[in-house]
Amino acid sequence: MKFKKIAGLTATAILGASLLAGCGGGDEASDGKVKLELFSNKSESINTYKDMIKKFEEENPDIDIELNAPPEAETVLKSRLTKNDMPDVMSIGGNATYGELARAGVLKDFSDSEIVDKIQPAYLKMIGKLVGDEKEGVYGIPYATNANAVIYNKAKFEELGVEVPKTWDEFIAIAEKAKAAGETPIYFTLKDAWTAMIPWNSIAANAAPEDFASKKNAGEASFQEDYKDVAEKMLTLLEYGHKDNMGKAYGDGNTAFAKGESVMYLQGNWAIPEIKKANPDIDLGVFAMPVTNDPEQNRLVSGVDVLLTSTEGTKHPEEAQKFIEFMLQEENAKTYIDEQAAFSAVEGVYQEDPVMEGIKTNFETGAITSFPDHYYPAGMGAENLIQEFLIKKDTEKFLNKIDKEWDKVQNR
């Protein structure tokens, strides 16, 4: 799922005793039932959650769950934080915003809960890095994980006589061949700025230093020094788009790709159900974007798409915990990833959709790395800066500007 960062979210903006004491969230309904609010930042999973909630309520008739998945969800969450009106249970992304909330003391610490033992350690470590060393604890339970990938039309690959590329040069050669054949090689949806982060993260995770964020904060790295190759590769990709790269949004792209209007689509696994809704018969494949010319160095970008957590100040902590435990049951975790074409952070729950065959090896061999932008400062607005760069195409000016924006946010 795309991650829309909360602009300007800082610990000082959300921390305080009044916040923890004044959580809105759930309450007791007039019929005596406990009412909990489940806040989600993913529009794609609304129907899945509705079914999950129905099943939970049947098993727990004394609890009602109200799902709230508003547009621009994290902006809404920011507003609610300032009003001391926190949900009981949250289903949010494992990104910098989660780290901010955890450091601010807003979220429950699950360190002593047995449910932590059900989660793959790699993803616990991933979200731990977001919180940082200054605050120990586990403030969210990784649930569903995702991957940035190149989604491709298998029929068009066959028509072009090409195979899944293993190097950057092979990838670009396919794009060239598609273009020469009158096809649109890649469908871009850059009207929605966040979609630029799909190729950006894929490239940066493989072409920039893995410890860039910590070095940048220590004054030992910069975008100007370490991201020139990333920026140049982004501009190269843009050459293989369509006539209106900046005028099409995410929904437009899902429909267009489903209709066969491009050979490849740079998106996450979360787009696959949306594409199949538009064309159930499309034959899809996925592969990790090969960013370097050394196949052994190319890794799949994967991170925590959904983590479940509850608010420290919820009036119904036991019921909130019960819902999270319900979601972690193997049967329910499997249902979620099957319906959302996602991967599970729960031990023993595997994605078996044949569409994912092209990235299965990455998970099996550990050829995986996390999303670089999850470690960018919350509120930096990287997606908007990158969108602007792709319009103006001034690499030097862009790298200088993104360095300054990072420093400005960090120094607040």
Side-chain angles (χ1 to χ4, degrees), residues 263-307:
V263 177
M264 296 179 285
Y265 188 38
L266 309 182
Q267 259 301 340
N269 55 282
W270 55 82
I272 291 172
E274 303 301 308
I275 294 166
K276 286 189 169 182
K277 281 180 191 175
N279 181 4
D281 298 323
I282 192 168
D283 192 6
L284 299 177
V286 299
F287 60 87
M289 181 190 289
V291 174
T292 77
N293 283 322
D294 180 356
E296 299 299 319
Q297 297 299 315
N298 291 320
R299 296 169 296 173
L300 177 75
V301 176
S302 174
V304 178
D305 184 38
V306 175
L307 62 80

Side-chain angles (χ1 to χ4, degrees), residues 351-403:
Q351 176 56 261
E352 297 166 351
D353 187 338
V355 171
M356 304 298 183
E357 190 66 31
I359 55 178
K360 186 178 178 182
T361 303
N362 291 85
F363 287 99
E364 292 173 346
T365 63
I368 288 173
T369 187
S370 57
F371 288 75
D373 75 320
H374 285 190
Y375 305 98
Y376 296 176
M380 189 177 83
E383 65 274 21
N384 297 319
L385 296 171
I386 293 165
Q387 182 191 52
E388 180 185 47
F389 161 60
L390 295 177
I391 294 170
K392 297 183 177 179
K393 302 178 182 179
D394 187 332
T395 301
E396 186 176 347
K397 187 175 181 179
F398 160 67
L399 294 175
N400 181 58
K401 184 173 183 177
I402 198 169
D403 267 325

Side-chain angles (χ1 to χ4, degrees), residues 314-330:
T314 176
K315 297 173 184 175
H316 302 289
E318 291 182 8
E319 289 84 355
Q321 177 90 357
K322 183 176 282 191
F323 180 73
I324 292 174
E325 290 174 351
F326 165 84
M327 292 294 293
L328 289 170
Q329 291 172 15
E330 190 169 313

Side-chain angles (χ1 to χ4, degrees), residues 14-223:
I14 60 178
L15 183 59
S18 62
L19 177 63
L20 298 180
C23 290
D27 213 329
E28 191 168 300
S30 58
D31 56 7
K33 293 184 179 182
V34 169
K35 185 177 180 181
L36 298 179
E37 179 189 356
L38 169 61
F39 186 96
S40 172
N41 71 331
K42 282 176 64 69
S43 59
E44 296 96 333
S45 61
I46 287 175
N47 289 333
T48 297
Y49 267 131
K50 283 181 178 179
D51 290 340
M52 294 280 200
I53 289 169
K54 183 179 179 182
K55 182 180 177 182
F56 175 80
E57 289 177 343
E58 288 173 353
E59 296 178 10
N60 299 273
D62 57 336
I63 304 173
D64 279 344
I65 306 286
E66 178 185 342
L67 176 63
N68 184 15
E72 301 295 332
E74 293 193 0
T75 301
V76 173
L77 187 58
K78 175 190 174 183
S79 176
R80 291 185 58 173
L81 286 166
T82 62
K83 296 175 183 176
N84 304 339
D85 177 30
M86 289 290 286
D88 302 286
V89 183
M90 285 184 278
S91 169
I92 57 176
N95 58 7
T97 297
Y98 159 74
E100 292 272 8
L101 293 172
R103 288 192 297 274
V106 174
L107 306 179
K108 173 184 169 67
D109 185 356
F110 293 88
S111 298
D112 296 329
S113 174
E114 292 181 359
I115 61 178
V116 173
D117 298 332
K118 294 184 176 183
I119 306 304
Q120 294 181 41
Y123 291 110
L124 288 169
K125 182 179 179 181
M126 208 174 276
I127 66 165
K129 286 176 65 178
L130 292 166
V131 179
D133 297 332
E134 65 267 33
K135 191 173 178 66
E136 295 184 2
V138 179
Y139 300 94
I141 305 299
Y143 186 62
T145 67
N146 56 17
N148 279 357
V150 180
I151 305 174
Y152 70 101
N153 186 313
K154 286 187 174 181
K156 289 186 180 293
F157 261 45
E158 189 173 335
E159 289 169 10
L160 291 168
V162 297
E163 298 180 351
V164 171
K166 292 184 170 63
T167 67
W168 173 259
D169 287 348
E170 289 176 0
F171 178 60
I172 295 302
I174 290 173
E176 283 284 356
K177 192 167 186 178
K179 193 173 184 179
E183 295 272 10
T184 297
I186 301 169
Y187 204 95
F188 286 100
T189 56
L190 297 172
K191 183 176 181 179
D192 284 333
W194 69 265
T195 65
M197 301 309 297
I198 310 300
W200 176 269
N201 278 321
S202 294
I203 297 169
N206 288 283
E210 190 169 11
D211 56 355
F212 174 80
S214 58
K215 285 191 172 182
K216 170 68 176 165
N217 288 332
E220 298 170 359
S222 71
F223 283 96

